[in-house]
Amino acid sequence: MASDDVFRPELARSVAHNPLPTIPENNPEDSITLVLFYQYLEPLWTKKEHRGAMAAITDLGNKHGIKGRGRCAPEGLNCTLSGTAQAVRDFCLGLRAWNKIFEETDFKLTDGLPRANGFKSFGLRKVDELVGYGLSGEKAPELSSKTSVHLEADEYHAMLSDTSTADGVETVIVDVRNTYESAIGHFAPPPGGAKLIDPKMRNSHDFPGWLNKPEVQQELNGKRVMMYCTGGIRCERASALLGEVAAATPGFKPAGVFELRGGIERYLKTYPKGGAWAGKNYLFDRRMAQVPETKGADALAQDLSEGKVRGASCAGCRIPWDTYRGKATCAGRSVYHGNGSGACGVPIILCPQCESASTSGSSNGQELLCELCAEGYAAPSEKPDFAKLRKTAEELKQKRAREEEEEDEKKQQAAADQGDGSGDEKSKKKKAKKEKKEKDKLKGSTE
């Protein structure tokens, strides 16, 4: 950690299974509190339970005057909500009282925000999956069996900043957000630290295809793979999918997968000057972006001018710019879809001059394209066959178990041979027993 970094250890930890943070003494009376949270669950809610969850959560929100938006799926809940400091806490406690699974939830609260940053209404969408990976239902990789490790903000900071290669293992850090989010801010590890990788996603549906590419697997193989996103939810399924692909692909084995608990949101609160972060954190609420609390405008402008924030430029004139304004979207078509059907449509950055001159996807007669469409990048069309993946993983697991059993038998036999000299007799008995077992099994299958 740089000597001028500020570290707030009290903000570095999850509130899961812990009391919610108390309301600050100096919290302005006319302010609002924002809360971001998600909660996956296994087994999934049944259709009846899903309907019941929709009703219960909506009633709870209305009871406490909560505003905002959420997604409720058979696999859980994902929300960004606002209200008074007390109302938001009462809502979170109400969720815990309604269903004990929410004791595990990492509620990320931000107090003291202007009322203009609050939502105006409450809406809860009934969906098939919380994040649009195209992995709902049986396609979804199991979270309970994944082996990734959640790191707290300071632990994550230490790993991505570590320039030591004493163990000979390299570290890569994967931004699991969309490229238009990464354009205005991302981690910038020090020279010799983790290598940053951008999967070049227009939306989360692109991630399985990216992970399916042999060159990507080669780049991740044998390395520590760190992942991060805004609040942590996208890393949950992404890390599980990585584990599933690795289990079914001989020769592909990362040296551990690590997620940032609480996401960028908590990291920037823990390191108010930014830590190893460059630029801003793109947000989907009315704030639009999160800026390190004590990192001044001059320091942010320096990040931009020195090119520390890659991709932060106006889609019209391409000058360095890091602020999304209005609702301008990419007009790219055939590059993304490959067949000319449908527009790319992701948000694009426009400077004030180009924004005032823009109409219907162009500015001063120039077509406005996102960073990916401008470079002609097409998302991978071939995605993993999830049913085949699981079948292959199970076959490989059984094969390894058989090989381990055979190896153990060889070791036991060798030990017996060197021991009392009766190895030959014991070997004959063991062989006869094994042959009888195989014959009985064959006989049973023919009856």
Side-chain angles (χ1 to χ4, degrees):
M1 174 186 325
S3 59
D4 63 343
D5 276 340
V6 177
F7 170 54
R8 292 174 172 170
E10 73 279 7
L11 298 179
R13 297 294 180 263
S14 165
V15 302
H17 300 292
N18 287 304
L20 298 176
T22 57
I23 300 173
E25 291 183 3
N26 59 348
N27 197 52
E29 290 186 9
D30 61 344
S31 67
I32 59 104
T33 292
L34 197 75
V35 60
L36 288 72
F37 69 91
Y38 67 87
Q39 182 60 55
Y40 279 106
L41 60 113
E42 291 177 342
L44 306 182
W45 277 324
T46 64
K47 289 183 178 180
K48 182 179 180 180
E49 290 170 335
H50 191 192
R51 289 194 301 269
M54 287 285 297
I57 295 163
T58 299
D59 288 346
L60 193 61
N62 291 335
K63 176 183 177 181
H64 296 292
I66 297 298
K67 312 296 182 184
R69 58 194 180 202
R71 293 167 63 88
C72 185
E75 62 185 9
L77 181 66
N78 179 28
C79 293
T80 301
L81 307 171
S82 64
T84 67
Q86 189 60 56
V88 166
R89 286 163 170 79
D90 289 342
F91 175 85
C92 296
L93 293 174
L95 281 179
R96 287 179 171 180
W98 170 67
N99 191 322
K100 294 302 180 184
I101 188 67
F102 290 100
E103 293 284 352
E104 303 174 8
T105 305
D106 185 8
F107 295 104
K108 296 173 282 292
L109 282 74
T110 302
D111 292 303
L113 293 173
R115 284 196 173 275
N117 288 155
F119 292 96
K120 295 182 179 180
S121 61
F122 178 83
L124 186 64
R125 290 180 57 198
K126 187 178 181 181
V127 296
D128 292 329
E129 59 179 331
L130 298 184
V131 179
Y133 281 123
L135 302 176
S136 62
E138 294 182 356
K139 288 184 178 180
E142 290 185 0
L143 300 179
S144 59
S145 60
K146 71 175 188 173
T147 58
S148 61
V149 177
H150 288 88
L151 298 180
E152 304 294 354
D154 52 325
E155 298 169 333
Y156 197 87
H157 180 89
M159 182 177 286
L160 69 87
S161 302
D162 186 9
T163 58
S164 170
T165 55
D167 60 359
V169 179
E170 297 179 37
T171 302
V172 296
I173 179 168
V174 181
D175 191 336
V176 193
R177 302 174 301 155
N178 302 316
T179 294
Y180 66 82
E181 298 172 67
S182 306
I184 64 170
H186 49 76
F187 277 109
K195 176 187 176 183
L196 181 65
I197 298 176
D198 176 12
K200 293 188 173 183
M201 296 188 293
R202 291 175 174 87
N203 57 57
S204 295
H205 266 88
D206 293 344
F207 185 79
W210 175 78
L211 191 57
N212 196 47
K213 296 168 66 174
E215 58 268 33
V216 169
Q217 296 174 11
Q218 183 177 357
E219 186 171 21
L220 303 183
N221 188 44
K223 299 181 176 69
R224 279 185 288 265
V225 179
M226 303 176 70
M227 290 183 169
Y228 72 93
C229 60
T230 308
I233 186 170
R234 284 177 276 187
C235 291
E236 298 288 358
R237 284 280 185 236
S239 60
L241 179 59
L242 172 57
E244 199 165 86
V245 171
T249 308
F252 176 35
K253 187 178 182 180
V257 181
F258 305 88
E259 304 174 48
L260 174 56
R261 190 191 299 277
I264 307 161
E265 203 268 348
R266 173 166 289 121
Y267 180 89
L268 292 185
K269 288 181 178 178
T270 304
Y271 294 95
K273 292 190 71 172
W277 183 265
K280 305 173 181 177
N281 177 26
Y282 185 100
L283 297 175
F284 292 91
D285 57 56
R286 295 171 68 86
R287 293 175 295 171
M288 298 300 293
Q290 177 188 15
V291 176
E293 186 179 331
T294 61
K295 187 170 185 175
D298 290 344
L300 286 170
Q302 186 175 351
D303 281 353
L304 195 60
S305 63
E306 293 180 354
K308 292 181 181 178
V309 185
R310 64 186 192 188
S313 63
C314 172
C317 62
R318 295 297 169 185
I319 66 167
W321 200 258
D322 64 354
T323 302
Y324 282 94
R325 303 168 60 93
K327 298 181 179 179
T329 57
C330 176
R333 300 180 70 85
S334 59
V335 171
Y336 178 37
H337 294 276
N339 56 10
S341 62
C344 170
V346 304
I348 55 173
I349 301 172
L350 288 179
C351 69
Q353 290 78 12
C354 290
E355 183 189 20
S356 63
S358 66
T359 56
S360 302
S362 65
S363 178
N364 294 319
Q366 176 186 351
E367 189 176 39
L368 296 173
L369 301 176
C370 70
E371 180 184 351
L372 297 182
C373 286
E375 71 176 58
Y377 178 78
S381 57
E382 187 174 343
K383 299 184 178 182
D385 182 328
F386 299 102
K388 185 177 179 181
L389 269 181
R390 286 175 187 140
K391 181 180 179 182
T392 302
E394 184 59 31
E395 290 173 349
L396 289 173
K397 182 179 179 180
Q398 293 177 2
K399 181 182 178 182
R400 285 193 295 269
R402 288 195 300 270
E403 290 173 347
E404 289 174 0
E405 184 179 351
E406 290 172 359
E407 185 64 27
D408 286 343
E409 288 179 357
K410 289 179 181 178
K411 289 179 181 179
Q412 291 173 10
Q413 183 60 51
D417 290 345
Q418 294 176 0
D420 57 12
S422 60
D424 289 343
E425 187 62 30
K426 288 182 178 180
S427 178
K428 289 177 183 178
K429 289 181 178 179
K430 196 165 190 178
K431 184 177 180 180
K433 185 177 181 181
K434 188 173 182 180
E435 288 176 350
K436 184 178 184 302
K437 185 177 180 181
E438 291 296 326
K439 287 180 181 179
D440 290 344
K441 185 177 179 182
L442 182 62
K443 181 181 178 181
S445 65
T446 57
E447 289 179 349

